[in-house]
Amino acid sequence: MRLLLVEDDILLGRGLVAGLSQGGFATDWVQDGEDAEVALETADYDAVVLDLGLPRLDGLSLLRRRRTARDRTPVLVLTARDTIADRISGLDAGGDDYLIKPFDLAELQARLRALIRRSKGVAAPVLVSGRVTLDPAGRNVTLDGLPVSLSNREFAILHDLMQSSGRVLTRQQLEERVYGWSEEIESNTIEVHIHNLRRKLFPEVIRTLRGVGYMVPSSP
Ligand code: CA
C-alpha cells in the first residue's frame, strides 16, 4: 500500500513516515500543497494523509482541486483544532475521514486500512484467496489455517495482490506500491519476493502472466 503524506511539521512528518512504514505503508512525504499536487499527478496512491494548514497551497484548496480534477484517491484529513466547522469543511471539500491532532498512530493506521478497503470495494477486513488468508490489521497470513511467517516486503506484495485479486498487477505497479521514494529498488527484487512467497505458501498462489505481471486468482 502506498501513501502520500502531506505535512509541514518536520517532527510529526518524520515520526509518521517511520511509523507508517513499520505498519506496512510505503509512505512518500511532501511538505506543501503544491508538491502534493505534483505527486498526485505523477504517482498512484492508495490514500493521502493531508494536513490542512500548509505553505504555498493549503490542504482544503488542494483537496477541492483534486476532486474537481476527478481524482478519487481516498483522503484522510488531519485537523489541528477540534472544531465542528473545521471537520465539516474538510469533509465537504472531498475528504473521506479525519483525525484531530494529537492522534494515536495505531488509530491512524486502522482508519487508513478501512478507507483503502472501502475504496477498493472490499468489505471484509480479512482477505481470503483459496487456502490463504491475510489479515492486514493483525499482519498475519495463514495457509490452511496455519500461520506462515513472511517478511514485511513479502507481506506487502501479497497484500496488494490479494486486495486486487482477479486483476493483474505489473511489476512496476507492485514496485510503486511496495517501495517509497526514499528506498532503493534492485532490478530483480519483486521476482525474488514472489519466488519466496510461492515457496512459503504454494506455487500456484500467485500466477505469472508472462510479459504482463502477476495475479492472485479471486476466490470462487
Ligand atoms: Ca500544518
Side-chain angles (χ1 to χ4, degrees):
M1 289 178 295
R2 190 170 182 192
L3 292 184
L4 181 67
L5 169 66
V6 193
E7 171 59 71
D8 62 324
D9 181 319
I10 302 292
L11 273 183
L12 180 59
R14 272 194 201 137
L16 283 176
V17 169
L20 288 167
S21 302
Q22 276 181 353
F25 298 94
T27 306
D28 296 339
W29 175 27
V30 292
Q31 295 167 28
D32 69 65
E34 286 188 8
D35 283 353
E37 187 160 42
V38 171
L40 285 165
E41 277 167 1
T42 47
D44 204 10
Y45 292 98
D46 293 298
V48 180
V49 177
L50 179 66
D51 181 33
L52 291 185
L54 294 167
R56 300 218 288 170
L57 176 66
D58 71 88
L60 277 185
S61 305
L62 170 71
L63 191 47
R64 288 199 190 93
R65 275 197 204 177
R66 295 314 299 165
R67 292 312 188 217
T68 305
R70 300 188 184 279
D71 179 346
R72 293 163 68 184
T73 312
V75 173
L76 187 148
V77 170
L78 300 177
T79 70
R81 291 160 298 160
D82 179 15
T83 69
I84 292 174
D86 276 5
R87 278 179 269 160
I88 292 173
S89 47
L91 294 171
D92 275 348
D96 300 276
D97 198 0
Y98 64 87
L99 266 181
I100 298 152
K101 295 180 186 177
F103 52 83
D104 182 74
L105 180 64
E107 183 178 5
L108 174 63
Q109 294 187 354
R111 282 173 181 263
L112 286 169
R113 284 192 294 267
L115 264 188
I116 293 168
R117 212 157 61 219
R118 285 203 296 275
S119 75
K120 294 185 190 296
V122 180
V126 174
L127 301 170
V128 181
S129 173
R131 300 157 59 194
V132 178
T133 68
L134 181 146
D135 177 3
R139 297 191 61 70
N140 59 60
V141 170
T142 67
L143 171 64
D144 297 329
L146 298 172
V148 178
S149 168
L150 299 183
S151 72
N152 281 343
R153 296 280 189 238
E154 289 160 6
F155 184 90
I157 289 170
L158 186 65
H159 185 197
D160 277 315
L161 284 167
M162 286 181 73
Q163 208 156 36
S164 306
S165 70
R167 289 195 292 124
V168 178
L169 296 181
T170 65
R171 192 179 84 175
Q172 194 191 345
Q173 283 173 323
L174 281 172
E175 282 172 351
E176 284 175 2
R177 285 157 186 250
V178 173
Y179 298 93
W181 289 337
S182 50
E183 296 168 272
E184 288 281 324
I185 307 174
E186 291 157 26
S187 62
N188 63 351
T189 173
I190 293 286
E191 279 93 336
V192 170
H193 292 314
I194 299 263
H195 171 82
N196 289 334
L197 280 165
R198 287 181 171 139
R199 187 172 51 77
K200 291 182 179 180
L201 295 164
F202 56 98
E204 305 80 35
V205 65
I206 297 166
R207 289 187 193 161
T208 303
L209 289 94
R210 293 251 169 258
V212 186
Y214 302 98
M215 183 183 81
V216 162
S218 41
S219 276

